[in-house]
Amino acid sequence: MTTPTKEPANAAMDRPGEGRLAHAPADHPPVRRARVGVVLANLGTPDATDYWSMRRYLSEFLSDKRVVDYPSWKWQPLLQLIILSRRPFKSGEAYRSIWNTEKDESPLLTITREQTRKVAEGLEGLFGDGVMVDFCMRYGNPSTDSVLKRMQAAGCEKILFFPLYPQYASPTTATANDHAFRTLMQLKWQPALRTVPAYFEHPRYIEALANTVREGYAAAETPPEVLVASYHGVPKRFLMEGDPYHCQCQKTTRLLREALGWEADAVQTAFQSQFGPEEWVGPQTVEHVAELARQGKKHIAVISPAFASDCVETLEEIEEEIREAFIEAGGETFTYIPCLNDRDDHIAALLAVIENELAGWVSRQA
């Protein structure tokens, strides 16, 4: 596992074993021992919070056709000349408010690295050292391209690619998979690649969410009256065009409520991070929590089931902007329930998904 600009490869996760083929000529290049790779793929992070680092990151992100699918001739001039002349300042400020100053990196990077370390330990316990584990980012570093090529060079002839998005969406899961396949297009010897499907209804994932809610409510000074499950939004047009994200989010909320044994109105679904002029799926979280306050709900909690790791959308948008909207509308206590991050029950859920998807490629140790 690596962060290319900051630290070397983790030897515990990369024991390639190199040798020569029997009867091969003396000048034959070394051949790596065949291995299986597992890649955890997260959204991405800027390398720093300054203007140019933020601009590079935002340009890559907002130029992705899966994220903004307007025609390039219309979108790129607006993006490069207007949006990216101002937005890096605002986004940089948001990232600075949550930045891991000790490691000089975003919390998303810190958390994803720790998730990967724990998953690697779990898989080593199940399958020995034949499985190499690493992580990549769709935008920023470590890049999907660099990680997949490093795995292929280390002898991984089979790779399980795991986008860390419980609910499938075109701007998240699909673009992560797209980028992985684009990397394979560059390779002379392509590894076999499997992609992990959405796990929005996996029992262990739901139970991990329920555990965090129980813990959050137990720790709250005043018991919340409503739990808002806030998911990242998508344009409503995506739903109409067949993207299953909205439906999967609704099902996750229902399964979470059932796992908790609560009444229907005790857990509500909302969507955050809307931008642009077109209609998005709703209700919008920032407006919904304010409306709850106006209706007399003075104590609420918010959870983010669509995020496997806390990031700027949770630590800054929810903890600051959405909290402020609730308080300004008359709310009194706002409890944010952190993402699953590197909790043991979350790692157990990820391991269960991975083991199922590795079927036929590896076998448990005796």
Side-chain angles (χ1 to χ4, degrees), residues 89-271:
F89 292 108
K90 181 178 181 181
S91 295
E93 182 179 354
Y95 270 96
R96 279 190 293 276
S97 72
I98 65 165
W99 202 249
N100 182 342
T101 54
E102 181 182 350
K103 293 182 177 293
D104 190 23
E105 62 189 24
S106 73
L108 178 70
L109 181 55
T110 304
I111 294 166
T112 306
R113 183 187 297 110
E114 188 63 12
Q115 289 170 327
T116 305
R117 183 187 69 80
K118 290 187 175 183
V119 166
E121 288 179 352
L123 290 177
E124 185 171 11
L126 292 173
F127 305 119
D129 67 354
V131 178
M132 177 180 176
V133 184
D134 210 333
F135 73 92
C136 69
M137 300 293 177
R138 171 59 183 89
Y139 315 103
N141 293 306
S143 69
T144 302
D145 186 77
S146 66
V147 171
L148 288 179
K149 287 179 177 178
R150 182 166 62 248
M151 281 196 155
Q152 192 267 353
C156 292
E157 297 180 5
K158 300 172 182 177
I159 296 177
L160 181 68
F161 189 76
F162 191 171
L164 289 177
Y165 310 111
Q167 298 80 18
Y168 174 97
S170 172
T172 54
T173 311
T175 190
N177 291 339
D178 288 346
H179 213 45
F181 289 120
R182 277 194 289 268
T183 297
L184 263 61
M185 291 171 65
Q186 305 171 35
L187 300 177
K188 294 292 185 185
W189 184 359
Q190 292 181 333
L193 187 74
R194 287 179 180 173
T195 60
V196 175
Y199 57 102
F200 65 99
E201 58 185 348
H202 194 284
R204 290 202 176 185
Y205 161 68
I206 297 297
E207 186 57 30
L209 288 177
N211 288 341
T212 65
V213 173
R214 295 185 189 104
E215 292 167 14
Y217 272 51
E221 292 184 11
T222 304
E225 301 165 83
V226 176
L227 174 66
V228 177
S230 180
Y231 301 83
H232 197 291
V234 294
K236 188 174 181 179
R237 170 171 53 87
F238 285 22
L239 171 63
M240 298 298 102
E241 292 172 350
D243 191 307
Y245 177 72
H246 180 266
C247 299
Q248 292 183 1
C249 292
Q250 297 287 355
K251 187 168 185 180
T252 294
T253 299
R254 176 175 64 80
L255 292 174
L256 172 60
R257 177 179 58 77
E258 291 174 355
L260 292 167
W262 292 358
E263 297 296 326
D265 60 353
V267 186
Q268 302 179 14
T269 299
F271 298 88

Side-chain angles (χ1 to χ4, degrees), residues 41-52:
N42 218 326
L43 179 69
T45 173
D47 294 324
T49 62
D50 62 277
Y51 172 83
W52 290 108

Side-chain angles (χ1 to χ4, degrees), residues 296-308:
K297 303 296 185 182
K298 302 300 184 182
H299 314 286
I300 69 168
V302 177
I303 190 172
S304 299
F307 297 95

